[in-house]
Amino acid sequence: MAATKIIDAPRNGHEMAPLNTRARGDGSHGVTIVLTAPQRNSVSSVEIPGDPERAAWSGKMQFFLSIIGYSVGLGNIWRFPYLCQQNGGGAFLIPFMIMLILEGIPLFLIELGIGQRMRLGALGVWNTIHPWLGGIGISSCIVTLFVALYYNVIITWVFFYLFNSFRYPLPWSSCPTNETGAVIEECALSSETAYFWYRTTLDAAPSMEEPGGLKWWIVLCLLLSWTIVFFIVMKGIQSSGKVVYFTSLFPYIVLTIFFIRGITLPGASAGLMHMYTPKVEKLGDPTVWLDAATQVFYSFGLAFGSLIAFGSYNTPKNNCVRDVLLVSVCNAITAIYASVVIFAILGFKATANVDRCIEQNKDILYKHSMIISPNVTMEQYEAAMEGANMTDTKLGLSVCSLSKELDNAAEGTGLAFIVFTQAIVELPGAPFWAVLFFTMLLSLGLGSQIGILEGMLCTLFDIDIIKRVKKQHVTGVVCLFCFIVGFIFCTGAGEYWLKMFDSFAGTIGLVVVALMEMIAVVYIYGHERFTEDIYQMTGYRPGWYWQLTWRYIGPVIMVGILASSIIFMIIKNPTYNAWNADTGSVQQKDYPPWVMGIALTMILAGVLPMPIVFLMRSFQCLKVDLDIHQGSIRRNETTASTKEMIDNDDDDDEDDFSGPALGGHVKTHSDASDDDEDDKPVTMRSTMLRISGNHLDVPSSRKSFKMEVFDL
């Protein structure tokens, strides 16, 4: 049998011998396997692994807007302002910025940079760094699925409110009446906006154990949400990349409109002063720093695999360091900007409530002849109130305090659907402002949901079997599955289930994944190698700041967040707020044991794939073949640049290097040093062993191809 000549590659002491295998003796085709290490002596010498036909951004703006749309989400609107108010006002910006610098930005660059370097999704990246780390990608995908399930439910509720915003007057501006014309007691005991949220929108059940049936209006809105999401992401960034121009830019337009309107409203200055007045003593509270670290972690959308996917669509020479800094600054500024807008309008709402309270007190005082007219001056009113307080007569007067009104803060759905909707009612032309507000929430939610699903789908398409299926079909199956599972959020206990998912499914799992990502890149892949990768891609070599945060500070902060989350979960009995129709208020209830069992299952499902894959591969419980290491071993079809070398290889029959496809022995170059194997990274040595222990499935066509094993 004729032999072939081995292709010479640049030698730097880390090469393994090329293998050439002829599957047939008639010379119909050949297979060449070349194992090389990338040249690292210049920026221009970078060799990028991954799929050569991978989708790419159509432009820099599309990538930047996609990252902004994903990172800047609902948390910037309804979580950050609440944290500022509760954790020291303006003083909270100090721990927030410190955690942003020490935790957020370094981990952001790790995910974006490693994705761009390897041009693979989360599963492919961690399999490439080391097969034992493949569970990180699986865990990330599972946790992302849990979050995608309930995140789209929030978009569902936004759709319901958006549709009702076109009614005049707004349906949450007044309490409904019964057949006799009397106000419904449940609404009278609570408020117009609270009643519309809990009864009209959710038809809230008394507890998780009594969920009631499906609410058809929520099911229809959920179907609409998943249908829109499907059409946006069904073709990957080719379709979603066009939508981000709206989902990323429109919220800033709306925030600016609300800002201009908000600062002109009475009471806006009071709201801003209440929020940003620094309470420096709060900085001594460890929970303030923990809240800051947690907010930074979740506001960037770290550990979902989405940033890795977005980075993998970049060109190899994209300046990812600059992108990380720009997005980080933009994210922080957006959170502060949104807080100004929110509290300017909440200050107006608080002032309106205080004025209404004073008017009610004046009417009471007038009825008891303590003032001469309801239109007395504030001095006369305050004097009458002092006199009334000195007497023991119970007149039913209320305490009208602006600070008390501003202290009644809310976060999450409570802020968006109860507190802020009440502020919108006070504005002239309320339906217009309601449409603007909920369209902004819709664009923010869709932008984040697009990124979440893109990260999960990109991970799925790292699996060879799924890669053979059209992306539209896979996306359709995923969206249909999520829609069906989402029925659990369409019952009367839907909000309670969402709170449970938010508290358990996307907390511990994400932090563990982020910690393992940092360890994998810095200590297994190697911080020096990753630093060199960044230099090759951008021309910038990360200095001491990046090294300290990657190697020491970042992992310590991640461990701190993880430990505190577990401790608080154990010490504080997990509860949820259930709506009590009899009192018109929420009351805390303990999760039923079976619900806590589901919560524990979700946590384990997001964490266990990492140790399971590690143990099964380290003890060789699974037969590891080439398909699961697509980042390390892949097939490149012959191109014009390689055709001549392959043809020369086929024409020269001096030596015979029969390889594993024929059961032959794997030989090395005669001039290769015996110490080469010891110099190779663990991932490269183990890759060679896997090749020599498997049979290569060689196609029967005459088309030549080259299979390369890259040392990353």
Side-chain angles (χ1 to χ4, degrees):
M1 180 174 59
T4 57
K5 181 179 178 180
I6 297 177
I7 298 175
D8 290 329
R11 301 183 60 79
N12 57 9
H14 287 278
E15 296 83 12
M16 294 177 61
L19 309 179
N20 191 279
T21 301
R22 288 197 183 278
R24 291 162 44 180
D26 57 1
S28 59
H29 70 276
V31 179
T32 302
I33 301 178
V34 182
L35 293 89
T36 61
Q39 301 293 322
R40 302 184 184 274
N41 54 358
S42 68
V43 177
S44 61
S45 63
V46 62
E47 295 180 23
I48 303 299
D51 186 357
E53 299 180 356
R54 190 172 188 81
W57 302 108
S58 61
K60 186 69 176 179
M61 182 59 70
Q62 187 185 74
F63 162 72
F64 187 75
L65 291 179
S66 296
I67 291 287
I68 291 295
Y70 168 68
S71 300
V72 178
L74 295 172
N76 297 76
I77 300 295
W78 66 27
R79 176 67 177 167
F80 184 80
Y82 170 81
L83 291 177
C84 278
Q85 183 191 19
Q86 296 297 304
N87 293 314
F92 181 72
L93 297 179
I94 297 175
F96 177 75
M97 290 300 177
I98 291 176
M99 291 301 172
L100 178 69
I101 294 172
L102 298 182
E103 171 205 1
I105 295 178
L107 188 53
F108 196 174
L109 181 57
I110 283 181
E111 292 202 5
L112 205 62
I114 203 69
Q116 179 175 315
R117 175 66 178 89
M118 298 186 179
R119 307 205 71 193
L120 294 164
L123 185 61
V125 163
W126 307 119
N127 272 327
T128 299
I129 291 179
H130 199 289
W132 293 357
L133 301 176
I136 299 178
I138 299 175
S139 292
S140 176
C141 185
I142 292 175
V143 174
T144 303
L145 173 63
F146 290 148
V147 175
L149 282 172
Y150 75 82
Y151 203 90
N152 218 35
V153 177
I154 300 175
I155 300 176
T156 298
W157 295 337
V158 172
F159 266 123
F160 183 78
Y161 267 79
L162 178 61
F163 296 149
N164 281 278
S165 298
F166 290 97
R167 296 167 59 184
Y168 184 82
L170 291 174
W172 57 82
S173 61
S174 61
C175 283
T177 57
N178 55 25
E179 294 80 1
T180 62
V183 174
I184 294 178
E185 184 180 5
E186 184 180 356
C187 183
L189 292 173
S190 54
S191 67
E192 299 87 347
T193 54
Y195 178 84
F196 185 84
W197 169 242
Y198 284 109
R199 185 55 56 209
T200 305
T201 304
L202 301 178
D203 193 15
S207 69
M208 297 185 75
E209 296 176 305
E210 306 173 59
L214 293 175
K215 313 305 175 184
W216 63 266
W217 56 93
I218 300 296
V219 174
L220 291 179
C221 289
L222 182 65
L223 176 62
L224 175 64
S225 300
W226 278 114
T227 302
I228 291 176
V229 169
F230 165 72
F231 281 109
I232 291 175
V233 302
M234 67 177 183
K235 293 184 179 180
I237 60 173
Q238 283 80 8
S239 55
S240 64
K242 299 177 177 62
V243 180
V244 295
Y245 286 94
F246 171 78
T247 59
S248 299
L249 296 177
F250 184 74
Y252 290 96
I253 298 175
V254 176
L255 281 176
T256 302
I257 295 174
F258 269 105
F259 173 76
I260 296 173
R261 184 69 182 99
I263 60 176
T264 61
L265 294 172
S269 58
L272 294 178
M273 289 182 62
H274 179 81
M275 175 182 174
Y276 284 112
T277 300
K279 303 177 183 65
V280 183
E281 65 276 4
K282 281 277 190 178
L283 297 181
D285 187 352
T287 58
V288 173
W289 294 85
L290 177 62
D291 284 342
T294 305
Q295 174 63 18
V296 168
F297 179 81
Y298 291 114
S299 66
F300 277 105
L302 301 171
F304 283 98
S306 303
L307 295 176
I308 295 176
F310 285 156
S312 70
Y313 301 135
N314 275 327
T315 59
K317 297 297 183 180
N318 176 65
N319 193 336
C320 54
V321 177
R322 180 187 58 197
D323 295 337
V324 166
L325 296 178
L326 287 176
V327 173
S328 302
V329 171
C330 186
N331 196 336
I333 292 177
T334 302
I336 297 172
Y337 185 40
S339 301
V340 171
V341 174
I342 294 296
F343 269 86
I345 295 179
L346 291 185
F348 162 72
K349 179 187 79 75
T351 302
N353 287 345
V354 169
D355 292 342
R356 190 179 300 111
C357 175
I358 292 175
E359 293 299 324
Q360 292 174 352
N361 284 346
K362 285 182 178 180
D363 290 338
I364 295 174
L365 292 173
Y366 177 70
K367 289 179 181 179
H368 289 79
S369 303
M370 301 188 70
I371 55 176
I372 58 175
S373 168
N375 298 323
V376 296
T377 62
M378 285 300 299
E379 290 79 6
Q380 294 173 321
Y381 164 75
E382 290 174 358
M385 287 293 295
E386 290 179 3
N389 292 332
M390 294 176 62
T391 65
D392 296 332
T393 306
K394 295 181 179 180
L395 303 179
L397 297 172
S398 302
V399 178
C400 306
S401 171
L402 182 62
S403 60
K404 181 181 177 181
E405 287 288 337
L406 290 172
D407 282 335
N408 291 331
E411 62 172 326
T413 54
L415 174 63
F417 299 117
I418 298 177
V419 176
F420 205 83
T421 50
Q422 184 182 350
I424 290 176
V425 170
E426 305 290 342
L427 294 171
F432 169 75
W433 298 106
V435 170
L436 271 186
F437 177 69
F438 288 110
T439 307
M440 178 188 70
L441 291 186
L442 179 63
S443 59
L444 286 171
L446 285 176
S448 297
Q449 182 74 349
I450 290 169
I452 291 171
L453 273 185
E454 188 60 46
M456 182 173 63
L457 292 172
C458 184
T459 301
L460 291 177
F461 277 95
D462 280 341
I463 303 173
D464 189 60
I465 297 177
I466 297 180
K467 187 182 293 186
R468 301 170 186 173
V469 184
K470 286 186 177 181
K471 186 159 190 176
Q472 295 93 322
H473 297 165
V474 176
T475 305
V477 170
V478 170
C479 291
L480 179 62
F481 171 79
C482 292
F483 168 67
I484 294 174
V485 177
F487 283 171
I488 193 175
F489 303 106
C490 299
T491 64
E495 190 198 19
Y496 314 150
W497 280 106
L498 186 139
K499 176 66 176 176
M500 191 274 285
F501 268 70
D502 187 47
S503 300
F504 297 101
T507 52
I508 294 179
L510 284 178
V511 177
V512 173
V513 169
L515 177 61
M516 292 306 301
E517 286 181 352
M518 191 166 277
I519 293 174
V521 172
V522 175
Y523 294 103
I524 299 178
Y525 184 74
H527 67 90
E528 293 180 351
R529 180 183 296 181
F530 185 63
T531 299
E532 187 68 21
D533 290 341
I534 297 296
Y535 171 67
Q536 291 175 345
M537 291 187 294
T538 66
Y540 166 78
R541 190 180 300 276
W544 60 268
Y545 156 72
W546 299 101
Q547 305 301 327
L548 287 177
T549 52
W550 284 339
R551 299 170 63 184
Y552 307 112
I553 301 176
V556 169
I557 294 176
M558 288 288 100
V559 171
I561 295 176
L562 178 61
S564 59
S565 299
I566 296 175
I567 291 173
F568 285 149
M569 196 173 293
I570 295 175
I571 294 178
K572 295 183 178 180
N573 187 33
T575 59
Y576 66 99
N577 291 325
W579 178 252
N580 189 330
D582 296 331
T583 61
S585 61
V586 295
Q587 62 182 25
Q588 286 192 345
K589 290 189 175 183
D590 294 333
Y591 284 109
W594 61 274
V595 173
M596 291 304 300
I598 295 175
L600 180 61
T601 301
M602 289 193 298
I603 294 175
L604 294 178
V607 175
L608 286 183
M610 290 179 278
I612 288 175
V613 172
F614 172 80
L615 292 174
M616 295 187 75
R617 290 185 176 175
S618 60
F619 290 101
Q620 298 182 355
C621 298
L622 288 176
K623 291 184 178 180
V624 183
D625 57 14
L626 301 182
D627 286 341
I628 66 173
H629 302 296
Q630 298 166 45
S632 299
I633 305 174
R634 69 189 190 283
R635 189 180 79 183
N636 290 336
E637 297 296 337
T638 302
T639 61
S641 60
T642 60
K643 184 177 186 303
E644 182 178 354
M645 292 188 296
I646 294 176
D647 288 343
N648 291 338
D649 174 59
D650 290 338
D651 292 338
D652 198 322
D653 297 334
E654 294 178 359
D655 301 289
D656 183 9
F657 286 85
S658 298
L662 294 180
H665 177 64
V666 177
K667 298 181 181 180
T668 60
H669 285 287
S670 58
D671 57 346
S673 171
D674 292 335
D675 295 330
D676 284 353
E677 180 63 26
D678 294 332
D679 295 335
K680 295 179 181 66
V682 176
T683 51
M684 187 171 179
R685 295 201 298 269
S686 61
T687 300
M688 184 201 72
L689 295 176
R690 289 192 301 275
I691 294 173
S692 62
N694 287 275
H695 292 278
L696 303 178
D697 185 13
V698 182
S700 58
S701 65
R702 294 184 57 87
K703 186 175 182 180
S704 300
F705 64 89
K706 180 175 68 175
M707 181 174 291
E708 299 177 344
V709 179
F710 283 86
D711 166 31
L712 301 178

